[in-house]
Amino acid sequence: MGRGVAVSILLIVPVAGPLLAAAVLLALPDRLLLRRVVALLATAAVIAVGVGLLVATSGGEVPVLRVGDWPPVVTITLAADPLSALLVTVSAMVVLACLVAAAGTADDRQRAFLPLTMVLSAGAYGAYLTTDLFNLFVLVEVMLVPSYVLLALSGGPGRAGAGRVYIATSLLGSTILLAGVGLLYGVTGTVGLADLAGIAREVPAAAAAGGVVLLAFALKGALVPLHDWLPRAYPVASPVVVALFSGLLTKVGLYAIIRIYAVLYGGDPAYHPLLVAVALASMVIGVLGAIGVGSMRKVLAFHMVSQIGYVLLGLALFTAASLAAAIFYLAQYVLVKAALFLCAAVVVATRGTDRLSRLGGLASSSPLLALAFGVAALSLAGLPPFGGFLAKFLVLRAANEVGDWLVLTVAVLVSLVTLLSMLKIWGVAFWGEVPRAARERTARPGLALLGPPLALGGCALLLGPLGGPLLQVADDAAAGLLEPAGYVRAVSGR
């Protein structure tokens, strides 16, 4: 077996591994320790495969696996380039951190939690690796169905209303997506990305059908003005579940937008004004929403909307520098946002709430929690020497290269307001006086709770001064998006 064949076979592991683990977990309903080991090992295997794929794709190769070895027009095809390999790896890191945190919060004592998490993660990994839009739709549904149950199982007060909003929005997005895929097939006779490369520039009807697909993913990715469901639904769920969702659900939508715009539309500059407008609106409305709410999870949920705008901005500019900046930003942002939500999980577990008006004194009662939150918050705001600073600097530099001063101005102002909202949480929850009602409920967090946000926060710190390898991966991924011919040839088999 050649090295290339061996690498291609590994592509099935991120999908089949977690699904197999879910089946094993269902057969072990009362063996909690063993269930935890199975879930952790399955996720660790995906991380190892993701790292292997990063190495394999660093030279421009695109490993491809045709399941069952059927002809390209029939088979389910999986492929990895630097972008998909990076997102598989980063997403699996978030899943691993959430599994450890769930042991600390006891979320995983619910029998359905671990199998559902495995199925959800398999859908996300598969969405990054699939090469046709119909299978992308199927894998998105594989990802979404467990999320409905996880939201219902872990939700607090108001979960019924939030659940209705989340499910209705997801079903609407899925309906639009399926309609868009059907329209695209009706116009072109195919839904394979390799066969659709550049077709939107040549066939206006294909561009319109692709626009329906992009609309669906804009809804799933919570881009303004289709964002309202996210800050209404996410803050109701358990912080660990929200951290899991933040690392997987909206990021799959954002990945799909990046891939489709690069391949189907070829980065057509005609859509530049629209993408810039949506990106800037997401940045501004998201950060302003974060200022006006009173709980950690709601603040962080609005920041999800805001930070997604930075990634979309890099896509809108569609230069080598801007695409590399967007990919670097997306990778570090997934880790930072998960770290912040896991900090909220510690707060809820130890204080019983994350409402800022009922918090205070966290810096003195839990210095390690304060350290984890401080590092992640400063990285989110884009301060040096953290990875968030390098990510925002790269975006600003790309905007400067094309002379877009409006983008530069808005990006800097949004970063400043982001810092203010993080200081708001810090000043009230960490430095503020402990409310009398909260003193009796204070508990000390264990290592299982503190370890995940500390580890992810450490990644945010290291990605500043030691971000060279990630930046190289981002450069490689950007080159593949600018010139997708290699990806198209590998996937099509021609």
Side-chain angles (χ1 to χ4, degrees):
M1 181 183 296
R3 177 178 177 273
V5 175
V7 172
S8 296
I9 291 175
L10 288 178
L11 290 170
I12 198 64
V13 173
V15 181
L19 291 178
L20 179 61
V24 173
L25 291 167
L26 291 173
L28 301 170
D30 301 316
R31 305 286 296 276
L32 181 58
L33 180 59
L34 185 56
R35 286 161 60 86
R36 288 171 172 170
V37 171
V38 169
L40 289 170
L41 286 178
T43 306
V46 175
I47 295 175
V49 169
V51 172
L53 292 175
L54 283 173
V55 173
T57 58
S58 61
E61 298 179 17
V62 180
V64 176
L65 175 66
R66 294 180 176 85
V67 179
D69 202 27
W70 292 91
V73 294
V74 177
T75 188
I76 296 173
T77 304
L78 303 176
D81 64 354
L83 176 59
S84 54
L86 176 62
L87 290 177
V88 166
T89 306
V90 172
S91 299
M93 291 171 64
V94 170
V95 174
L96 186 66
C98 290
L99 290 173
V100 175
T105 60
D107 282 5
D108 65 352
R109 292 182 182 274
Q110 295 177 326
R111 291 184 178 181
F113 180 88
L114 291 176
L116 290 171
T117 300
M118 291 294 97
V119 175
L120 187 153
S121 63
Y125 306 144
Y128 294 136
L129 296 172
T130 188
T131 65
D132 75 79
L133 295 179
F134 180 75
N135 285 329
L136 179 59
F137 164 77
V138 172
L139 288 161
V140 166
E141 293 308 299
V142 169
M143 179 179 65
L144 286 177
V145 172
S147 74
Y148 304 151
V149 186
L150 284 171
L151 184 65
L153 287 176
S154 68
R159 65 180 176 181
R164 285 195 295 269
V165 170
Y166 178 72
I167 292 174
T169 304
S170 297
L171 291 177
L172 175 61
S174 297
T175 303
I176 296 172
L177 176 57
L178 184 59
V181 172
L183 288 171
L184 201 53
Y185 182 79
V187 170
T188 65
T190 183
V191 290
L193 284 173
D195 299 319
L196 294 171
I199 199 168
R201 290 194 171 198
E202 303 169 2
V203 183
V212 177
V213 175
L214 290 178
L215 177 66
F217 282 116
L219 178 61
K220 292 180 179 295
L223 294 171
V224 170
L226 306 173
H227 69 290
D228 185 59
W229 63 270
L230 190 149
R232 293 176 65 186
Y234 277 22
V236 175
S238 154
V240 172
V241 171
V242 178
L244 185 66
F245 286 5
S246 76
L248 300 180
L249 297 184
T250 54
K251 305 310 174 292
V252 167
L254 194 56
Y255 162 80
I257 291 172
I258 293 172
R259 180 72 74 186
I260 292 169
Y261 183 63
V263 175
L264 184 64
Y265 290 84
D268 192 342
Y271 303 97
H272 169 87
L274 175 62
L275 289 173
V276 170
V278 173
L280 295 182
S282 298
M283 292 161 65
V284 172
I285 293 174
V287 79
L288 291 179
I291 292 291
V293 293
S295 76
M296 289 183 67
R297 277 174 290 182
K298 285 188 177 181
V299 171
L300 297 174
F302 271 107
H303 276 305
M304 287 182 66
V305 177
S306 178
Q307 300 299 310
I308 286 171
Y310 281 93
V311 181
L312 189 63
L313 193 59
L315 176 66
L317 300 177
F318 211 78
T319 65
S322 72
L323 288 171
I327 294 164
F328 186 98
Y329 197 105
L330 178 59
Q332 64 85 33
Y333 162 65
V334 169
L335 300 176
V336 168
K337 182 57 69 174
L340 289 169
F341 275 119
L342 291 177
C343 287
V346 179
V347 173
V348 172
T350 56
R351 294 292 180 88
T353 182
D354 67 341
R355 289 198 62 81
L356 298 180
S357 60
R358 301 177 185 176
L359 298 176
L362 289 171
S364 58
S365 64
S366 183
L368 289 178
L369 172 61
L371 175 63
F373 178 85
V375 168
L378 292 176
S379 184
L380 185 75
L383 267 65
F386 305 103
F389 168 75
L390 179 55
K392 289 189 176 180
F393 171 78
L394 293 172
V395 172
L396 293 174
R397 186 180 67 176
N400 182 61
E401 287 179 356
V402 298
D404 199 327
W405 295 102
L406 175 62
V407 167
L408 277 170
T409 304
V410 173
V412 171
L413 291 177
V414 168
S415 292
L416 292 175
V417 180
T418 301
L419 177 61
L420 290 177
S421 65
M422 292 295 102
L423 291 175
K424 170 186 172 181
I425 296 177
W426 181 265
V428 175
F430 288 87
W431 273 2
E433 183 178 352
V434 184
R436 180 171 299 180
R439 293 172 187 171
E440 299 177 357
R441 303 194 62 176
T442 301
R444 290 189 175 276
L447 182 60
L449 269 175
L450 285 173
L454 280 171
L456 295 178
C459 292
L461 176 59
L462 293 175
L463 285 177
L466 302 176
L470 176 57
L471 186 56
Q472 182 59 55
V473 173
D475 286 335
D476 293 341
L481 292 174
L482 278 173
E483 297 292 340
Y487 179 87
V488 170
R489 282 195 303 271
V491 171
S492 64
R494 294 194 292 268

